[in-house]
């Protein structure tokens, strides 16, 4: 199953927990759910969906990876986006227990946009025990 996400800023996070949850088949009691973003300048993380923390994540990545000064910038000016996404990774895998994502109390699935605004595609696959 795939779904699209519209982002509205160059570096931002979007909660996609609801869409990932909806992709878990009704008949899957236990197993694994993997969500994968099909882009090299976006990533997925499991983290708390709290606005200040989301801002902290964005600031942390901005501080960690400078906006300019990378060799790839000569090609298309978005090396910072590739580097930030490489730190995060394109996927998350979450256990499924009793037909539900086994996320902790404060855990959400967040798409990290590093080169927006754009439309992103997330693919979700599941496998049962």
């Amino acid at each position: 199953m795939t779904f699209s996400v519209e982002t509205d800023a160059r570096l931002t996070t979007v909660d996609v927990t609801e869409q990932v949850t909806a992709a878990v088949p009704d008949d899957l009691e236990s197993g694994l759910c993997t969500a994968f973003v099909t882009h090299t300048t976006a990533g997925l993380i499991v983290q708390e969906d709290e606005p200040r923390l989301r801002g902290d994540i964005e600031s942390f990545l901005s501080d960690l990876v400078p906006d300019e000064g990378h060799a790839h910038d000569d090609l298309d000016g978005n090396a910072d986006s590739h580097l930030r996404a490489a730190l995060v990774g394109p996927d998350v895998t979450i256990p499924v227990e009793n037909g539900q994502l086994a996320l902790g109390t404060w855990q959400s699935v967040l798409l990290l946009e590093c080169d927006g605004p754009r439309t992103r595609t997330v693919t979700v696959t599941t496998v049962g025990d």
Side-chain angles (χ1 to χ4, degrees):
M1 186 247 173
T2 63
F3 62 88
S4 296
V5 179
E6 299 287 333
T7 64
D8 61 5
R10 178 157 173 84
L11 181 59
T12 190
T13 55
V14 178
D15 185 351
V16 295
T17 309
E18 188 174 305
Q19 296 97 313
V20 174
T21 299
V24 176
D26 292 336
D27 62 348
L28 181 63
E29 275 299 307
S30 68
L32 295 173
C33 174
T34 298
F36 177 82
V37 62
T38 60
H39 306 277
T40 60
T41 57
L44 291 170
I45 58 175
V46 173
Q47 196 46 260
E48 184 175 355
D49 181 25
E50 192 279 320
R52 291 167 293 197
L53 179 58
R54 288 170 56 178
D56 289 341
I57 291 167
E58 295 159 17
S59 294
F60 171 75
L61 289 170
S62 288
D63 292 345
L64 193 61
V65 179
D67 290 345
E68 299 173 344
H70 311 285
H72 180 75
D73 287 338
D74 293 341
L75 180 64
D76 58 11
N78 69 346
D80 60 314
S81 301
H82 288 282
L83 295 170
R84 291 171 184 149
L87 290 171
V88 171
D91 61 90
V92 295
T93 298
I94 304 159
V96 175
E97 297 175 358
N98 300 315
Q100 302 291 320
L101 294 179
L103 292 167
T105 302
W106 301 110
Q107 289 182 319
S108 296
V109 181
L110 303 178
L111 179 133
L112 177 68
E113 171 63 72
C114 299
D115 196 25
R118 294 189 185 264
T119 301
R120 299 302 190 167
T121 301
V122 178
T123 300
V124 180
T125 58
T126 57
V127 61
D129 286 343

